[in-house]
Amino acid sequence: MSLSARKAVGAGLTGLTGAAAALIVVMLGFILWDVVAGGWTRISLEFLTQAPSQGMTEGGIFPAIYGTAILTLLMTVAVMPVGVLTAIYLHEYAPKGGRLAGLVRIAVQNLAGVPSIVFGLFGLGFFIQFVGRGMDRALSAEGALTYGQPALIWAALTLAILTLPVVIVSTEEALRAVPREWRDASLALGATKSQTLARVILPSAVPGILTGAILAVARGAGEVAPILFTGVAYFLPDLPTSFFSQFMHLGYHVYVLATQSTDVEATKPLLYATVLVLLTLTFTLNLVAIVLRIRSRRAAASGH
């Protein structure tokens, strides 16, 4: 192929890539405009701070906001230590070509491809029926159901498993990006492997690890299918009082308003406003994580 032909092909591919990116931006802009236009007039202090009323056609969505935020926080606390430690083992300590590391990588790859509704059924069977009922048999009065029923903690753990592959893969990529020379220099100066990991590798990998947290939070906050069987409730005006309480969720609230309303026109403004709040909450969580990542990257670059 001649030089001019290669340039023409390159220009064509660049144009197609740019057109695809522009199409995505236009579609996202249209969706956001539709949501904002349909929901911003319904947003008010009352809507954000009160519980639903009048068959979910009046009042607010505060229990759903609180449930979504606390669920996402618990999920992040549950998934980050396990995901980061697994990635450290796979990249820093597992022998090359080891059987255990290979099995873990296969499990992570398969977990990433499992439909989210299957995670919900797994959470129902494992966490509620097996772990929860086992705790009831051991800790509760005979016949009582204290732990073996849908609850906030079981939904958070189910979402943690759902987002675990994201954290492991992104953390491994962050560890892989640390130059090999830095490890060799630390070891040559007499530091042990654990000291090199704690003082050289992990500080440099923090921005990439936070990227994994961002992706996990973004996916976990918007997922509904995994929590259908494990903890979310149709209507709960009261806030969850413990890890073993049921809760409301913005995503499930949107689903209920969109599919089970007896008066579509009356609930349409509430539906748009709830979607707007869910998107705002997700974007805010992402923004906080991005700011933390940028600060960590600057601190690592300056040596502090």
Side-chain angles (χ1 to χ4, degrees), residues 8-89:
V9 171
L13 292 176
T14 302
L16 287 175
T17 305
L23 178 62
I24 292 174
V25 172
V26 170
M27 292 173 62
L28 178 61
F30 177 78
I31 293 173
L32 292 177
W33 176 83
D34 185 52
V35 170
V36 173
W40 76 272
T41 56
R42 191 64 178 79
I43 299 293
S44 65
L45 184 61
E46 178 189 37
F47 182 73
L48 297 175
T49 58
Q50 294 186 358
S53 60
Q54 303 295 327
M56 291 197 180
T57 58
E58 297 294 338
I61 57 171
F62 181 71
I65 295 175
Y66 181 85
T68 303
I70 198 69
L71 174 71
T72 305
L73 178 62
L74 285 177
M75 176 208 70
T76 305
V77 171
V79 71
M80 288 306 295
V82 177
V84 171
L85 290 176
T86 302
I88 290 174
Y89 167 76

Side-chain angles (χ1 to χ4, degrees), residues 30-247:
F30 177 78
I31 293 173
L32 292 177
W33 176 83
D34 185 52
V35 170
V36 173
W40 76 272
T41 56
R42 191 64 178 79
I43 299 293
S44 65
L45 184 61
E46 178 189 37
F47 182 73
L48 297 175
T49 58
Q50 294 186 358
S53 60
Q54 303 295 327
M56 291 197 180
T57 58
E58 297 294 338
I61 57 171
F62 181 71
I65 295 175
Y66 181 85
T68 303
I70 198 69
L71 174 71
T72 305
L73 178 62
L74 285 177
M75 176 208 70
T76 305
V77 171
V79 71
M80 288 306 295
V82 177
V84 171
L85 290 176
T86 302
I88 290 174
Y89 167 76
L90 291 175
H91 191 266
E92 302 293 331
Y93 291 98
K96 302 297 181 185
R99 184 172 298 178
L100 177 60
L103 290 174
V104 173
R105 292 184 192 282
I106 292 174
V108 170
Q109 293 169 0
N110 283 280
L111 275 178
V114 174
S116 57
I117 189 67
V118 177
F119 283 97
L121 295 173
F122 168 78
L124 173 64
F126 180 74
F127 289 120
I128 297 177
Q129 299 293 337
F130 180 70
V131 179
R133 295 292 171 85
M135 292 173 63
D136 277 330
R137 286 191 289 272
L139 304 174
S140 302
E142 185 174 356
L145 278 180
T146 304
Y147 308 106
Q149 56 186 347
L152 180 61
I153 187 65
W154 305 139
L157 292 177
T158 303
L159 283 180
I161 296 177
L162 172 72
T163 55
L164 186 60
V166 177
V167 177
I168 293 176
V169 172
S170 59
T171 303
E172 265 206 285
E173 290 298 325
L175 296 173
R176 193 173 292 116
V178 178
R180 167 61 62 182
E181 292 79 7
W182 295 10
R183 293 178 171 82
D184 295 340
S186 177
L187 295 174
L189 291 173
T192 63
K193 192 168 185 176
S194 59
Q195 290 173 330
T196 301
L197 176 67
R199 300 179 183 179
V200 177
I201 300 175
L202 285 181
S204 302
V206 164
I209 295 173
L210 286 177
T211 299
I214 293 170
L215 296 174
V217 167
R219 184 173 184 188
E223 283 285 352
V224 175
I227 62 176
L228 286 176
F229 310 108
T230 54
V232 75
Y234 171 74
F235 175 65
L236 281 176
D238 298 325
L239 301 180
T241 56
S242 74
F243 291 160
F244 296 97
S245 301
Q246 286 190 275
F247 62 98

